[in-house]
Protein backbone atom coordinates (compact mmCIF):
# COMPACT_ATOMS: atom_id res chain seq x y z
CA UNK A 1 0.00 0.00 0.00
CA UNK A 2 2.76 2.43 0.89
CA UNK A 3 4.46 1.71 -2.43
CA UNK A 4 1.22 2.63 -4.13
CA UNK A 5 1.33 5.93 -2.28
CA UNK A 6 5.04 6.63 -2.62
CA UNK A 7 5.86 5.29 -6.05
CA UNK A 8 3.58 7.94 -7.37
CA UNK A 9 5.09 11.19 -6.19
CA UNK A 10 6.13 11.94 -9.77
CA UNK A 11 3.16 13.80 -11.17
CA UNK A 12 0.59 16.30 -10.08
CA UNK A 13 -2.33 18.30 -11.44
CA UNK A 14 -5.73 17.35 -12.50
CA UNK A 15 -8.48 16.63 -14.86
CA UNK A 16 -11.87 15.03 -14.78
CA UNK A 17 -14.70 14.16 -17.11
CA UNK A 18 -18.13 12.68 -16.57
CA UNK A 19 -21.44 11.73 -17.93
CA UNK A 20 -24.68 10.54 -16.44
CA UNK A 21 -25.47 8.02 -19.13
CA UNK A 22 -25.42 4.33 -18.14
CA UNK A 23 -22.02 2.69 -17.87
CA UNK A 24 -20.89 0.65 -20.86
CA UNK A 25 -19.91 -2.97 -20.51
CA UNK A 26 -16.75 -2.60 -22.63
CA UNK A 27 -14.26 -1.39 -20.05
CA UNK A 28 -11.75 1.26 -21.12
CA UNK A 29 -10.35 4.39 -19.44
CA UNK A 30 -13.62 6.30 -19.57
CA UNK A 31 -14.22 8.05 -16.26
CA UNK A 32 -10.80 7.28 -14.83
CA UNK A 33 -8.61 10.01 -13.36
CA UNK A 34 -4.95 10.55 -12.56
CA UNK A 35 -3.98 12.02 -9.20
CA UNK A 36 -0.52 13.30 -8.33
CA UNK A 37 0.11 10.14 -6.29
CA UNK A 38 -2.61 7.61 -7.19
CA UNK A 39 -5.36 6.57 -9.55
CA UNK A 40 -9.07 7.26 -9.19
CA UNK A 41 -12.37 7.53 -11.00
CA UNK A 42 -15.20 9.92 -11.62
CA UNK A 43 -18.24 8.19 -10.14
CA UNK A 44 -21.94 8.72 -9.74
CA UNK A 45 -24.53 7.11 -7.52
CA UNK A 46 -27.34 5.04 -9.05
CA UNK A 47 -29.81 7.92 -8.57
CA UNK A 48 -27.46 10.86 -9.25
CA UNK A 49 -28.92 13.59 -11.46
CA UNK A 50 -27.06 15.58 -14.14
CA UNK A 51 -27.22 18.69 -11.93
CA UNK A 52 -25.45 17.05 -8.97
CA UNK A 53 -21.87 18.03 -8.24
CA UNK A 54 -19.61 15.22 -9.42
CA UNK A 55 -17.67 12.85 -7.17
CA UNK A 56 -14.20 11.31 -7.48
CA UNK A 57 -13.39 7.98 -5.81
CA UNK A 58 -9.91 6.95 -4.67
CA UNK A 59 -8.25 5.44 -1.57
CA UNK A 60 -8.12 6.99 1.86
CA UNK A 61 -4.34 6.55 1.81
CA UNK A 62 -4.22 8.63 -1.37
CA UNK A 63 -5.40 11.55 0.76
CA UNK A 64 -2.79 10.77 3.43
CA UNK A 65 -2.01 7.91 5.77
CA UNK A 66 -5.06 8.37 7.97
CA UNK A 67 -4.64 6.99 11.47
CA UNK A 68 -6.62 3.88 12.36
CA UNK A 69 -9.95 4.91 13.87
CA UNK A 70 -10.02 8.32 12.18
CA UNK A 71 -12.65 9.43 9.66
CA UNK A 72 -12.59 12.66 7.66
CA UNK A 73 -15.97 14.14 6.72
CA UNK A 74 -16.78 17.27 4.68
CA UNK A 75 -13.40 18.97 4.74
CA UNK A 76 -12.19 21.69 2.38
CA UNK A 77 -10.12 20.10 -0.38
CA UNK A 78 -8.42 22.02 -3.15
CA UNK A 79 -7.13 19.19 -5.32
CA UNK A 80 -6.85 18.68 -9.05
CA UNK A 81 -7.38 15.57 -11.17
CA UNK A 82 -6.62 14.71 -14.77
CA UNK A 83 -9.66 13.22 -16.42
CA UNK A 84 -9.17 10.60 -19.13
CA UNK A 85 -11.31 9.52 -22.05
CA UNK A 86 -11.79 5.97 -23.24
CA UNK A 87 -8.44 5.80 -25.02
CA UNK A 88 -6.53 7.14 -22.01
CA UNK A 89 -5.98 10.67 -23.31
CA UNK A 90 -6.20 13.48 -20.76
CA UNK A 91 -9.21 15.61 -21.66
CA UNK A 92 -9.61 17.97 -18.72
CA UNK A 93 -8.29 19.19 -15.42
CA UNK A 94 -10.97 19.24 -12.78
CA UNK A 95 -10.93 20.74 -9.32
CA UNK A 96 -12.35 19.49 -6.02
CA UNK A 97 -13.86 21.74 -3.39
CA UNK A 98 -14.56 19.25 -0.57
CA UNK A 99 -13.28 15.97 0.75
CA UNK A 100 -16.67 14.36 1.33
CA UNK A 101 -15.44 11.24 3.12
CA UNK A 102 -12.14 9.50 3.76
CA UNK A 103 -10.97 6.74 6.07
CA UNK A 104 -8.57 3.81 6.36
CA UNK A 105 -10.68 2.12 9.03
CA UNK A 106 -12.82 -0.80 7.89
CA UNK A 107 -12.17 0.23 4.30
CA UNK A 108 -9.63 2.32 2.42
CA UNK A 109 -11.68 4.84 0.50
CA UNK A 110 -12.10 8.54 -0.16
CA UNK A 111 -14.62 10.61 -2.09
CA UNK A 112 -14.01 14.15 -3.31
CA UNK A 113 -16.71 16.55 -4.53
CA UNK A 114 -15.83 18.60 -7.61
CA UNK A 115 -16.75 22.17 -8.45
CA UNK A 116 -18.66 21.07 -11.55
CA UNK A 117 -21.77 18.99 -12.13
CA UNK A 118 -21.95 15.79 -14.12
CA UNK A 119 -23.78 17.69 -16.85
CA UNK A 120 -21.11 20.39 -17.03
CA UNK A 121 -18.35 17.84 -17.29
CA UNK A 122 -20.15 16.01 -20.05
CA UNK A 123 -20.99 19.10 -22.04
CA UNK A 124 -17.62 20.79 -21.64
CA UNK A 125 -15.31 17.79 -21.94
CA UNK A 126 -17.34 14.83 -23.16
CA UNK A 127 -16.53 12.94 -19.97
CA UNK A 128 -18.69 10.19 -18.52
CA UNK A 129 -18.88 9.06 -14.90
CA UNK A 130 -18.81 5.41 -13.88
CA UNK A 131 -21.74 4.20 -11.79
CA UNK A 132 -21.17 2.83 -8.30
CA UNK A 133 -22.98 -0.49 -7.98
CA UNK A 134 -25.37 -0.78 -5.04
CA UNK A 135 -25.02 -4.58 -5.05
CA UNK A 136 -22.34 -6.75 -3.49
CA UNK A 137 -20.33 -8.54 -6.20
CA UNK A 138 -19.88 -12.31 -6.37
CA UNK A 139 -16.81 -14.51 -6.32
CA UNK A 140 -15.75 -15.41 -9.84
CA UNK A 141 -16.91 -12.09 -11.31
CA UNK A 142 -14.79 -10.91 -14.22
CA UNK A 143 -13.30 -7.57 -13.26
CA UNK A 144 -11.12 -4.88 -14.77
CA UNK A 145 -8.90 -2.57 -12.72
CA UNK A 146 -8.33 0.63 -14.69
CA UNK A 147 -5.37 2.71 -13.52
CA UNK A 148 -5.51 6.33 -14.61
CA UNK A 149 -2.02 6.89 -13.21
CA UNK A 150 -0.34 4.27 -15.39
CA UNK A 151 -3.00 4.16 -18.10
CA UNK A 152 -3.14 0.42 -17.78
CA UNK A 153 -6.07 -1.98 -17.40
CA UNK A 154 -5.69 -5.24 -15.46
CA UNK A 155 -8.00 -8.17 -16.20
CA UNK A 156 -8.82 -10.94 -13.73
CA UNK A 157 -11.56 -12.33 -11.50
CA UNK A 158 -12.65 -11.86 -7.92
CA UNK A 159 -10.93 -14.83 -6.31
CA UNK A 160 -12.88 -14.48 -3.08
CA UNK A 161 -13.70 -12.36 -0.05
CA UNK A 162 -11.43 -11.90 2.97
CA UNK A 163 -12.89 -11.49 6.44
CA UNK A 164 -10.12 -9.03 7.30
CA UNK A 165 -7.06 -7.74 5.50
CA UNK A 166 -4.56 -6.35 8.00
CA UNK A 167 -1.64 -4.10 7.08
CA UNK A 168 0.44 -2.42 9.78
CA UNK A 169 -2.07 -0.59 12.02
CA UNK A 170 -4.98 -0.78 9.55
CA UNK A 171 -7.70 -3.41 9.20
CA UNK A 172 -10.10 -3.66 6.25
CA UNK A 173 -13.18 -5.86 6.31
CA UNK A 174 -14.83 -8.01 3.65
CA UNK A 175 -12.05 -7.21 1.21
CA UNK A 176 -11.78 -8.44 -2.38
CA UNK A 177 -8.95 -10.81 -3.32
CA UNK A 178 -7.98 -10.95 -7.00
CA UNK A 179 -6.82 -13.85 -9.12
CA UNK A 180 -3.09 -13.56 -10.01
CA UNK A 181 -3.38 -11.74 -13.34
CA UNK A 182 -4.35 -8.52 -11.53
CA UNK A 183 -0.75 -7.98 -10.45
CA UNK A 184 -1.25 -4.32 -9.60
CA UNK A 185 1.76 -2.11 -8.80
CA UNK A 186 2.57 1.20 -7.14
CA UNK A 187 0.44 3.98 -8.58
CA UNK A 188 -2.61 1.79 -9.08
CA UNK A 189 -4.00 2.65 -5.64
CA UNK A 190 -7.47 4.12 -5.96
CA UNK A 191 -8.18 2.53 -9.33
CA UNK A 192 -11.82 1.53 -9.83
CA UNK A 193 -12.59 -2.18 -9.79
CA UNK A 194 -15.12 -2.55 -12.58
CA UNK A 195 -17.52 -5.42 -13.18
CA UNK A 196 -16.71 -6.31 -16.78
CA UNK A 197 -20.29 -7.34 -17.59
CA UNK A 198 -22.13 -4.31 -16.22
CA UNK A 199 -19.44 -1.64 -16.41
CA UNK A 200 -20.25 -0.62 -12.83
CA UNK A 201 -17.72 0.04 -10.07
CA UNK A 202 -17.75 -2.64 -7.37
CA UNK A 203 -14.60 -1.70 -5.50
CA UNK A 204 -11.41 0.34 -5.22
CA UNK A 205 -7.95 -1.18 -5.55
CA UNK A 206 -5.74 -0.59 -2.52
CA UNK A 207 -2.91 -2.98 -1.61
CA UNK A 208 -0.89 -6.14 -2.15
CA UNK A 209 1.61 -8.39 -0.38
CA UNK A 210 4.97 -7.61 -1.98
CA UNK A 211 7.54 -9.82 -0.28
CA UNK A 212 5.75 -12.32 1.93
CA UNK A 213 5.87 -10.30 5.13
CA UNK A 214 3.25 -10.88 7.81
CA UNK A 215 0.73 -8.05 8.37
CA UNK A 216 3.37 -5.32 7.84
CA UNK A 217 3.46 -2.23 5.63
CA UNK A 218 3.33 -3.34 2.00
CA UNK A 219 2.75 -6.91 3.18
CA UNK A 220 -0.88 -7.27 4.23
CA UNK A 221 -2.11 -10.55 5.64
CA UNK A 222 -5.52 -12.22 5.74
CA UNK A 223 -7.30 -12.84 9.04
CA UNK A 224 -10.29 -15.20 9.16
CA UNK A 225 -13.23 -15.08 11.57
CA UNK A 226 -11.39 -17.36 14.01
CA UNK A 227 -8.30 -15.13 14.03
CA UNK A 228 -6.12 -17.38 11.88
CA UNK A 229 -3.58 -15.43 9.83
CA UNK A 230 -2.66 -16.37 6.25
CA UNK A 231 0.06 -14.72 4.18
CA UNK A 232 -0.24 -14.80 0.38
CA UNK A 233 2.87 -13.36 -1.22
CA UNK A 234 2.15 -11.53 -4.47
CA UNK A 235 -1.62 -11.41 -3.87
CA UNK A 236 -3.43 -8.10 -4.34
CA UNK A 237 -6.58 -6.75 -2.76
CA UNK A 238 -9.33 -4.15 -3.09
CA UNK A 239 -12.15 -2.77 -0.99
CA UNK A 240 -15.82 -3.09 -1.85
CA UNK A 241 -17.78 0.12 -2.51
CA UNK A 242 -21.44 -0.93 -2.43
CA UNK A 243 -21.56 0.10 1.24
CA UNK A 244 -20.78 3.70 0.31
CA UNK A 245 -23.91 3.95 -1.83
CA UNK A 246 -26.12 3.39 1.23
CA UNK A 247 -24.59 6.47 2.90
CA UNK A 248 -25.80 9.05 0.39
CA UNK A 249 -29.11 10.87 0.20
CA UNK A 250 -30.43 13.07 -2.63
CA UNK A 251 -28.02 15.29 -4.60
CA UNK A 252 -24.94 13.26 -3.65
CA UNK A 253 -25.30 14.36 -0.04
CA UNK A 254 -23.45 12.22 2.48
CA UNK A 255 -25.64 11.14 5.41
CA UNK A 256 -23.87 8.77 7.78
CA UNK A 257 -27.03 8.49 9.88
CA UNK A 258 -28.94 6.62 7.20
CA UNK A 259 -30.10 3.21 8.55
CA UNK A 260 -28.19 1.09 6.02
CA UNK A 261 -24.97 3.13 6.20
CA UNK A 262 -22.36 0.90 7.83
CA UNK A 263 -19.06 2.66 7.06
CA UNK A 264 -16.80 4.00 9.80
CA UNK A 265 -18.04 7.19 11.39
CA UNK A 266 -16.19 10.01 13.18
CA UNK A 267 -15.76 9.59 16.93
CA UNK A 268 -18.11 11.81 18.90
Amino acid sequence: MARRFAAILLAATAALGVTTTPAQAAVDFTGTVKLDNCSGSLVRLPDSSPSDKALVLTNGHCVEFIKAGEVYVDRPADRTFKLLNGSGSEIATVQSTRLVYATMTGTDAALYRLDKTYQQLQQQHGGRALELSAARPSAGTEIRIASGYWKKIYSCQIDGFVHQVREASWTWRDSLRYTPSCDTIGGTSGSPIIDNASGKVVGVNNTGNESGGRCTMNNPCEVDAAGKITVRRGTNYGQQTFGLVACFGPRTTLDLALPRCQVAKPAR
Side-chain angles (χ1 to χ4, degrees):
M1 184 232 343
R3 57 168 182 167
R4 289 175 168 69
F5 192 96
I8 321 157
L9 303 175
L10 310 169
T13 39
L16 226 79
V18 160
T19 232
T20 55
T21 55
Q24 299 173 349
V27 175
D28 54 22
F29 293 103
T30 297
T32 60
V33 303
K34 179 179 180 180
L35 288 71
D36 57 346
N37 63 344
C38 284
S39 299
S41 57
L42 184 66
V43 295
R44 66 183 183 91
L45 302 165
D47 58 354
S48 292
S49 70
S51 60
D52 290 342
K53 291 294 178 66
L55 298 173
V56 167
L57 170 70
T58 188
N59 285 146
H61 80 260
C62 294
V63 177
E64 64 184 38
F65 288 124
I66 304 170
K67 292 180 180 178
E70 289 193 1
V71 179
Y72 298 165
V73 174
D74 193 27
R75 296 189 173 195
D78 181 12
R79 191 167 189 177
T80 56
F81 309 84
K82 294 179 180 179
L83 177 66
L84 310 183
N85 63 13
S87 64
S89 297
E90 297 173 6
I91 57 175
T93 295
V94 179
Q95 192 81 27
S96 71
T97 59
R98 311 292 294 183
L99 177 61
V100 177
Y101 181 85
T103 192
M104 291 178 66
T105 299
T107 189
D108 183 10
L111 284 163
Y112 288 90
R113 177 171 287 115
L114 304 183
D115 62 356
K116 292 185 178 181
T117 66
Y118 295 109
Q119 185 174 46
Q120 288 173 324
L121 291 171
Q122 182 178 2
Q123 292 177 344
Q124 295 173 16
H125 308 296
R128 179 174 61 82
L130 300 170
E131 182 178 331
L132 286 174
S133 174
R136 190 177 191 273
S138 302
T141 297
E142 286 282 344
I143 56 173
R144 302 294 181 264
I145 300 173
S147 171
Y149 189 88
W150 292 116
K151 300 180 181 178
K152 179 175 180 177
I153 297 175
Y154 297 83
S155 301
C156 63
Q157 296 177 326
I158 295 175
D159 183 56
F161 301 91
V162 184
H163 178 67
Q164 292 182 352
V165 167
R166 186 178 299 164
E167 181 170 349
S169 62
W170 300 284
T171 298
W172 305 305
R173 299 179 179 86
D174 200 19
S175 303
L176 299 173
R177 183 202 305 122
Y178 317 140
T179 52
S181 55
C182 280
D183 52 347
T184 50
I185 61 172
T188 63
S189 281
S191 298
I193 303 169
I194 304 169
D195 182 320
N196 192 53
S198 69
K200 296 181 180 181
V201 175
V202 297
V204 58
N205 177 61
N206 81 307
T207 195
N209 186 296
E210 295 184 359
S211 58
R214 181 183 172 95
C215 312
T216 60
M217 183 69 80
N218 302 324
N219 289 287
C221 62
E222 299 183 9
V223 185
D224 69 15
K228 179 184 176 182
I229 292 175
T230 301
V231 174
R232 299 176 186 266
R233 181 175 181 174
T235 296
N236 294 293
Y237 304 92
Q239 303 308 310
Q240 299 191 65
T241 50
F242 74 93
L244 293 170
V245 177
C247 300
F248 281 84
R251 304 196 63 80
T252 63
T253 301
L254 181 71
D255 184 354
L256 298 178
L258 289 171
R260 294 175 54 244
C261 179
Q262 301 298 316
V263 299
K265 300 170 177 62
R268 296 185 178 180

